Amino acid sequence: MNLRPRHYLTVADLDREQLLAIINRAIELKKRRKQGIPHAPAVAKVLGMLFEKPSTRTRISFEAAMFQMGGSVSFMPSRDLQLKRGEPLKDTARVLARYLDCLVVRTFGQEIVEELAKWSDIPVINGLTDQHHPCQILSDIMTVIEHKGKNLSELKIAWIGDGNNMAQSWIQAAARLGFTLVLACPDGYRPDYNILEAAKAEASMPIEIVADPAEAARDADVINTDVWASMGQEEEAEARKKIFMPYQVDSALLELARKDAIVLHCLPAHRDEEITDEVLEGSQSIVWDQAENKMHLHKAVLEWAMGLWPEAQ
Ligand code: CP
Ligand code: NVA
């Protein structure tokens, strides 16, 4: 009997225990790497990476993760595949599954990763769509745990800016893992209503959308932001600058948070747009740890997806 592959397309695909197991595994794998202990469970495995948008961190951290684990990677910009000449996703998925052990996809609509997963006999992992960035959120929470401890329910996490893919994955994570999330977004740029309502229905802690960034930032343990115009929204960038300017994370906004608050940004950052240079380079910013953790987290996700970590559920 063919078991369904372990796809990871949104945070809500996994239950609380699975999410925490992956994060804890990433913390353990990070420790091993720092101690110089080799860890190569992926020998002879091949990861495919089908990317339709640019990437520095997600691409290179998945590649480094796979190489360090003894496996190989085939990077496939979509423009170089027959996909670009009209070959259907369902045919592409079935062919790739005959060569590869796992597929990471970065693309536009969520329906594209869903279609690939539907037809794929190997795990499909979402490396960012217009709607979700589920691996990023897990490495961000890993970073929060490293700096703030494991009691997530005691934390207030603030999201300042666009209700985009990152915001929507944070919302799903808040519901599954149980922490307070307050998002400050301008009218018209709030997260998807259905994602928000589904999360609120299962959440044990508040998930709120407000208009005022100060309300979100006040007494927050974590201040989190992202670009105002995501990939694919380049034509809106100028118009968005005016709308989002009151949502800039600057030192005055950071002052409202707890004294020991940390600042997250998934990067790439646009200095002096969504975040000032002063805050990004300041002592509360942990964005470089955050970027590093993507690699450790991706190892754990790959192990889980490919069944290389026997204790994983
Ligand atoms: N944070 C993140 O996903 O960065 P890249 O776009 O560089 O992969
Ligand atoms: N919201 C951003 C995240 C980049 C990692 C985008 O989609 O471009």
Side-chain angles (χ1 to χ4, degrees):
M1 188 184 74
N2 267 351
L3 289 176
R4 188 178 137 83
R6 289 176 172 178
H7 303 307
Y8 182 48
L9 307 184
T10 76
V11 173
D13 290 350
L14 302 190
D15 63 28
R16 175 186 164 83
E17 284 63 39
Q18 288 170 318
L19 295 171
L20 289 175
I22 290 172
I23 293 169
N24 288 333
R25 178 67 171 174
I27 292 171
E28 167 65 22
L29 293 178
K30 179 175 182 177
K31 205 183 298 165
R32 287 195 202 177
R33 172 139 181 96
K34 300 285 175 197
Q35 291 170 349
I37 302 170
H39 179 66
V43 172
K45 301 287 181 192
V46 184
L47 172 68
M49 299 183 66
L50 173 50
F51 274 43
E52 292 209 76
K53 291 174 175 173
S55 171
T56 297
R57 280 145 289 268
T58 305
R59 173 182 174 176
I60 308 303
S61 61
F62 263 114
E63 289 183 347
M66 195 63 187
F67 290 137
Q68 287 174 18
M69 293 201 301
S72 313
V73 178
S74 177
F75 185 74
M76 304 175 282
S78 60
R79 63 170 184 275
D80 293 345
L81 300 184
Q82 297 288 5
L83 259 180
K84 267 290 164 278
R85 296 178 58 247
E87 186 168 17
L89 285 166
K90 62 182 179 181
D91 295 3
T92 305
R94 283 176 289 183
V95 170
L96 292 179
R98 299 289 174 107
Y99 307 139
L100 303 169
D101 298 285
C102 189
L103 183 65
V104 177
V105 182
R106 171 168 285 203
T107 187
F108 293 89
Q110 186 71 13
E111 69 284 356
I112 298 172
V113 288
E114 283 167 5
E115 174 80 353
L116 286 166
K118 180 177 165 191
W119 291 96
S120 177
D121 288 337
I122 58 169
V124 174
I125 296 173
N126 181 352
L128 182 145
T129 59
D130 292 344
Q131 288 77 23
H132 296 276
H133 200 359
C135 294
Q136 178 76 48
I137 264 50
L138 292 193
S139 50
D140 291 356
I141 292 169
M142 170 187 174
T143 312
V144 170
I145 288 173
E146 283 180 341
H147 287 262
K148 295 282 163 201
K150 287 195 166 174
N151 288 332
L152 293 173
S153 64
E154 291 172 4
L155 299 179
K156 175 183 177 184
I157 299 191
W159 175 268
I160 313 286
D162 193 15
N164 61 14
N165 44 9
M166 284 289 299
Q168 293 182 163
S169 287
W170 268 107
I171 287 169
Q172 292 191 331
R176 284 286 139 100
L177 299 178
F179 52 83
T180 300
L181 180 66
V182 183
L183 303 102
C185 310
D187 240 6
Y189 296 90
R190 294 183 162 203
D192 179 81
Y193 178 83
N194 294 323
I195 292 175
L196 183 65
E197 289 307 305
K200 279 183 165 178
E202 74 165 88
S204 56
M205 299 299 289
I207 302 174
E208 288 170 25
I209 312 271
V210 298
D212 180 8
E215 192 179 335
R218 195 164 294 117
D219 299 323
D221 300 281
V222 180
I223 300 278
N224 204 344
T225 191
D226 186 18
V227 292
W228 292 337
S230 286
M231 290 179 275
Q233 298 172 332
E234 287 76 9
E235 282 174 11
E236 298 174 36
E238 277 313 303
R240 282 172 171 254
K241 270 186 203 167
K242 283 190 201 74
I243 296 161
F244 280 94
M245 206 55 206
Y247 291 80
Q248 185 181 70
V249 175
D250 58 12
S251 45
L253 193 73
L254 187 53
E255 275 287 303
L256 300 174
R258 289 173 60 96
K259 286 282 157 286
D260 60 352
I262 53 173
V263 175
L264 295 179
H265 190 312
C266 67
L267 305 176
H270 292 147
R271 284 174 169 78
D272 298 324
E273 290 184 23
E274 75 275 2
I275 190 165
T276 59
D277 182 64
E278 189 184 5
V279 172
L280 188 72
E281 300 288 356
S283 60
Q284 289 168 270
S285 162
I286 54 163
V287 298
W288 314 117
D289 290 347
Q290 185 186 356
E292 176 188 333
N293 283 344
K294 285 173 71 74
M295 182 180 77
H296 307 296
L297 192 285
H298 292 162
K299 284 184 185 171
V301 167
L302 289 169
E303 278 192 342
W304 169 79
M306 291 190 280
L308 303 176
W309 159 30
E311 310 89 281
Q313 304 266 337

Short mmCIF file of all heavy atoms in Angstrom, two decimals, residues 10-45:
data_model
loop_
_atom_site.label_atom_id
_atom_site.label_comp_id
_atom_site.label_asym_id
_atom_site.label_seq_id
_atom_site.Cartn_x
_atom_site.Cartn_y
_atom_site.Cartn_z
N THR A 10 1.51 23.98 4.37
CA THR A 10 1.17 25.10 5.26
C THR A 10 1.46 24.63 6.69
O THR A 10 1.48 23.42 6.95
CB THR A 10 -0.34 25.49 5.20
OG1 THR A 10 -1.11 24.52 5.93
CG2 THR A 10 -0.86 25.59 3.78
N VAL A 11 1.59 25.58 7.59
CA VAL A 11 1.83 25.23 9.00
C VAL A 11 0.68 24.36 9.52
O VAL A 11 0.89 23.42 10.30
CB VAL A 11 1.97 26.51 9.86
CG1 VAL A 11 2.04 26.17 11.34
CG2 VAL A 11 3.20 27.31 9.44
N ALA A 12 -0.53 24.63 9.02
CA ALA A 12 -1.71 23.90 9.51
C ALA A 12 -1.75 22.44 9.02
O ALA A 12 -2.63 21.69 9.43
CB ALA A 12 -2.98 24.64 9.09
N ASP A 13 -0.80 22.05 8.18
CA ASP A 13 -0.74 20.63 7.76
C ASP A 13 -0.27 19.72 8.89
O ASP A 13 -0.48 18.52 8.85
CB ASP A 13 0.25 20.44 6.60
CG ASP A 13 -0.25 21.05 5.31
OD1 ASP A 13 -1.42 21.46 5.26
OD2 ASP A 13 0.54 21.13 4.35
N LEU A 14 0.44 20.30 9.87
CA LEU A 14 1.01 19.49 10.94
C LEU A 14 0.36 19.83 12.27
O LEU A 14 -0.10 20.96 12.49
CB LEU A 14 2.53 19.75 11.05
CG LEU A 14 3.36 19.48 9.79
CD1 LEU A 14 4.84 19.54 10.13
CD2 LEU A 14 3.04 18.13 9.19
N ASP A 15 0.33 18.83 13.16
CA ASP A 15 -0.25 19.13 14.47
C ASP A 15 0.85 19.70 15.39
O ASP A 15 2.03 19.74 15.03
CB ASP A 15 -0.97 17.91 15.07
CG ASP A 15 -0.03 16.74 15.33
OD1 ASP A 15 1.17 16.96 15.58
OD2 ASP A 15 -0.50 15.59 15.30
N ARG A 16 0.40 20.13 16.56
CA ARG A 16 1.31 20.79 17.51
C ARG A 16 2.54 19.92 17.81
O ARG A 16 3.67 20.40 17.81
CB ARG A 16 0.49 21.06 18.79
CG ARG A 16 1.29 21.62 19.93
CD ARG A 16 0.41 21.71 21.18
NE ARG A 16 1.25 21.88 22.35
CZ ARG A 16 1.73 23.06 22.75
NH1 ARG A 16 1.44 24.15 22.10
NH2 ARG A 16 2.51 23.14 23.80
N GLU A 17 2.31 18.62 18.04
CA GLU A 17 3.41 17.74 18.42
C GLU A 17 4.42 17.61 17.27
O GLU A 17 5.63 17.61 17.49
CB GLU A 17 2.89 16.35 18.81
CG GLU A 17 2.25 16.28 20.19
CD GLU A 17 1.00 17.15 20.33
OE1 GLU A 17 0.21 17.20 19.35
OE2 GLU A 17 0.83 17.80 21.38
N GLN A 18 3.91 17.51 16.06
CA GLN A 18 4.83 17.40 14.91
C GLN A 18 5.64 18.69 14.73
O GLN A 18 6.85 18.64 14.48
CB GLN A 18 4.03 17.12 13.62
CG GLN A 18 3.46 15.70 13.57
CD GLN A 18 2.49 15.54 12.41
OE1 GLN A 18 1.67 16.41 12.12
NE2 GLN A 18 2.57 14.41 11.74
N LEU A 19 4.98 19.82 14.86
CA LEU A 19 5.69 21.10 14.70
C LEU A 19 6.78 21.24 15.75
O LEU A 19 7.93 21.59 15.45
CB LEU A 19 4.72 22.28 14.80
CG LEU A 19 3.66 22.38 13.69
CD1 LEU A 19 2.62 23.44 14.03
CD2 LEU A 19 4.30 22.68 12.34
N LEU A 20 6.42 20.92 17.01
CA LEU A 20 7.42 21.06 18.09
C LEU A 20 8.54 20.03 17.94
O LEU A 20 9.70 20.34 18.22
CB LEU A 20 6.74 20.92 19.46
CG LEU A 20 5.85 22.10 19.85
CD1 LEU A 20 5.12 21.81 21.15
CD2 LEU A 20 6.64 23.40 19.96
N ALA A 21 8.19 18.84 17.45
CA ALA A 21 9.23 17.82 17.25
C ALA A 21 10.25 18.29 16.21
O ALA A 21 11.46 18.11 16.39
CB ALA A 21 8.60 16.50 16.82
N ILE A 22 9.77 18.91 15.15
CA ILE A 22 10.69 19.40 14.10
C ILE A 22 11.56 20.53 14.66
O ILE A 22 12.78 20.57 14.44
CB ILE A 22 9.90 19.83 12.85
CG1 ILE A 22 9.34 18.58 12.15
CG2 ILE A 22 10.78 20.63 11.88
CD1 ILE A 22 8.37 18.85 11.01
N ILE A 23 10.96 21.44 15.40
CA ILE A 23 11.74 22.56 15.97
C ILE A 23 12.79 22.02 16.96
O ILE A 23 13.96 22.41 16.92
CB ILE A 23 10.80 23.58 16.65
CG1 ILE A 23 9.92 24.28 15.61
CG2 ILE A 23 11.60 24.59 17.46
CD1 ILE A 23 8.79 25.11 16.19
N ASN A 24 12.37 21.10 17.82
CA ASN A 24 13.32 20.55 18.80
C ASN A 24 14.43 19.77 18.11
O ASN A 24 15.59 19.80 18.54
CB ASN A 24 12.59 19.66 19.81
CG ASN A 24 11.75 20.49 20.76
OD1 ASN A 24 12.07 21.65 21.02
ND2 ASN A 24 10.67 19.93 21.25
N ARG A 25 14.08 19.06 17.05
CA ARG A 25 15.08 18.32 16.29
C ARG A 25 16.11 19.30 15.68
O ARG A 25 17.31 19.04 15.68
CB ARG A 25 14.39 17.52 15.19
CG ARG A 25 15.33 16.74 14.31
CD ARG A 25 16.01 15.62 15.06
NE ARG A 25 16.74 14.74 14.17
CZ ARG A 25 17.50 13.75 14.59
NH1 ARG A 25 17.63 13.50 15.88
NH2 ARG A 25 18.15 12.99 13.72
N ALA A 26 15.60 20.44 15.17
CA ALA A 26 16.50 21.43 14.58
C ALA A 26 17.46 21.99 15.63
O ALA A 26 18.65 22.20 15.36
CB ALA A 26 15.68 22.56 13.95
N ILE A 27 16.95 22.19 16.85
CA ILE A 27 17.83 22.69 17.93
C ILE A 27 18.91 21.65 18.23
O ILE A 27 20.08 21.99 18.41
CB ILE A 27 16.97 23.02 19.18
CG1 ILE A 27 16.08 24.25 18.89
CG2 ILE A 27 17.85 23.26 20.41
CD1 ILE A 27 15.02 24.56 19.94
N GLU A 28 18.53 20.39 18.23
CA GLU A 28 19.49 19.30 18.47
C GLU A 28 20.52 19.21 17.33
O GLU A 28 21.72 19.08 17.56
CB GLU A 28 18.69 17.99 18.59
CG GLU A 28 19.49 16.70 18.53
CD GLU A 28 20.43 16.55 19.70
OE1 GLU A 28 20.21 17.19 20.74
OE2 GLU A 28 21.44 15.80 19.56
N LEU A 29 20.05 19.34 16.09
CA LEU A 29 20.98 19.23 14.95
C LEU A 29 21.93 20.43 14.90
O LEU A 29 23.08 20.30 14.49
CB LEU A 29 20.19 19.12 13.63
CG LEU A 29 19.39 17.82 13.46
CD1 LEU A 29 18.62 17.84 12.14
CD2 LEU A 29 20.29 16.59 13.52
N LYS A 30 21.45 21.58 15.35
CA LYS A 30 22.32 22.77 15.42
C LYS A 30 23.44 22.52 16.43
O LYS A 30 24.61 22.80 16.17
CB LYS A 30 21.49 23.99 15.82
CG LYS A 30 22.30 25.27 15.95
CD LYS A 30 21.39 26.47 16.21
CE LYS A 30 22.19 27.77 16.29
NZ LYS A 30 21.32 28.94 16.48
N LYS A 31 23.06 21.93 17.58
CA LYS A 31 24.04 21.65 18.62
C LYS A 31 25.11 20.69 18.08
O LYS A 31 26.30 20.90 18.23
CB LYS A 31 23.32 21.02 19.83
CG LYS A 31 24.03 21.22 21.14
CD LYS A 31 23.33 20.50 22.30
CE LYS A 31 21.91 21.00 22.56
NZ LYS A 31 21.15 20.07 23.44
N ARG A 32 24.64 19.64 17.40
CA ARG A 32 25.59 18.66 16.86
C ARG A 32 26.56 19.31 15.87
O ARG A 32 27.74 19.01 15.86
CB ARG A 32 24.85 17.54 16.12
CG ARG A 32 24.14 16.62 17.05
CD ARG A 32 23.77 15.36 16.29
NE ARG A 32 22.67 14.71 16.97
CZ ARG A 32 22.07 13.61 16.53
NH1 ARG A 32 22.46 13.06 15.40
NH2 ARG A 32 21.09 13.07 17.20
N ARG A 33 26.02 20.18 15.02
CA ARG A 33 26.89 20.83 14.02
C ARG A 33 27.93 21.71 14.71
O ARG A 33 29.08 21.73 14.32
CB ARG A 33 26.05 21.64 13.06
CG ARG A 33 26.90 22.49 12.13
CD ARG A 33 26.42 22.51 10.72
NE ARG A 33 27.31 23.33 9.90
CZ ARG A 33 28.30 22.84 9.17
NH1 ARG A 33 28.52 21.55 9.10
NH2 ARG A 33 29.07 23.64 8.48
N LYS A 34 27.50 22.44 15.75
CA LYS A 34 28.43 23.32 16.47
C LYS A 34 29.53 22.50 17.15
O LYS A 34 30.64 22.97 17.33
CB LYS A 34 27.70 24.16 17.53
CG LYS A 34 26.60 25.06 17.00
CD LYS A 34 27.14 26.29 16.29
CE LYS A 34 26.00 27.10 15.66
NZ LYS A 34 26.41 28.07 14.66
N GLN A 35 29.18 21.26 17.53
CA GLN A 35 30.17 20.39 18.17
C GLN A 35 31.02 19.64 17.14
O GLN A 35 31.89 18.85 17.51
CB GLN A 35 29.46 19.37 19.07
CG GLN A 35 28.83 19.99 20.30
CD GLN A 35 27.92 19.01 21.05
OE1 GLN A 35 27.59 17.94 20.56
NE2 GLN A 35 27.51 19.39 22.25
N GLY A 36 30.71 19.85 15.87
CA GLY A 36 31.49 19.19 14.81
C GLY A 36 31.17 17.72 14.64
O GLY A 36 31.97 16.96 14.09
N ILE A 37 29.99 17.31 15.11
CA ILE A 37 29.62 15.90 14.98
C ILE A 37 28.98 15.68 13.61
O ILE A 37 27.95 16.29 13.30
CB ILE A 37 28.62 15.49 16.09
CG1 ILE A 37 29.23 15.74 17.47
CG2 ILE A 37 28.17 14.04 15.93
CD1 ILE A 37 28.24 15.60 18.63
N PRO A 38 29.58 14.82 12.77
CA PRO A 38 28.99 14.61 11.44
C PRO A 38 27.60 13.98 11.54
O PRO A 38 27.33 13.19 12.45
CB PRO A 38 29.96 13.65 10.74
CG PRO A 38 31.16 13.56 11.62
CD PRO A 38 30.75 13.98 13.00
N HIS A 39 26.74 14.34 10.62
CA HIS A 39 25.37 13.81 10.64
C HIS A 39 24.94 13.65 9.18
O HIS A 39 24.64 14.63 8.51
CB HIS A 39 24.46 14.81 11.37
CG HIS A 39 23.03 14.37 11.41
ND1 HIS A 39 22.61 13.26 12.10
CD2 HIS A 39 21.91 14.88 10.81
CE1 HIS A 39 21.30 13.12 11.95
NE2 HIS A 39 20.86 14.08 11.17
N ALA A 40 25.01 12.43 8.68
CA ALA A 40 24.79 12.22 7.24
C ALA A 40 23.75 11.13 6.98
O ALA A 40 24.05 10.08 6.42
CB ALA A 40 26.12 11.88 6.57
N PRO A 41 22.48 11.42 7.34
CA PRO A 41 21.44 10.40 7.12
C PRO A 41 20.90 10.37 5.69
O PRO A 41 20.08 9.52 5.38
CB PRO A 41 20.34 10.84 8.10
CG PRO A 41 20.47 12.33 8.14
CD PRO A 41 21.95 12.62 7.98
N ALA A 42 21.35 11.31 4.83
CA ALA A 42 20.71 11.46 3.51
C ALA A 42 21.60 10.98 2.36
O ALA A 42 21.38 11.38 1.21
CB ALA A 42 20.30 12.91 3.30
N VAL A 43 22.58 10.12 2.68
CA VAL A 43 23.48 9.62 1.61
C VAL A 43 22.64 8.97 0.52
O VAL A 43 21.71 8.20 0.81
CB VAL A 43 24.49 8.61 2.21
CG1 VAL A 43 25.30 7.95 1.11
CG2 VAL A 43 25.41 9.33 3.20
N ALA A 44 22.93 9.32 -0.72
CA ALA A 44 22.25 8.79 -1.91
C ALA A 44 20.84 9.35 -2.11
O ALA A 44 20.14 8.96 -3.05
CB ALA A 44 22.21 7.26 -1.92
N LYS A 45 20.42 10.27 -1.26
CA LYS A 45 19.12 10.93 -1.48
C LYS A 45 19.32 12.17 -2.35
O LYS A 45 20.36 12.85 -2.24
CB LYS A 45 18.49 11.37 -0.15
CG LYS A 45 18.24 10.23 0.81
CD LYS A 45 17.09 9.37 0.36
CE LYS A 45 16.83 8.26 1.36
NZ LYS A 45 15.91 7.25 0.84
#
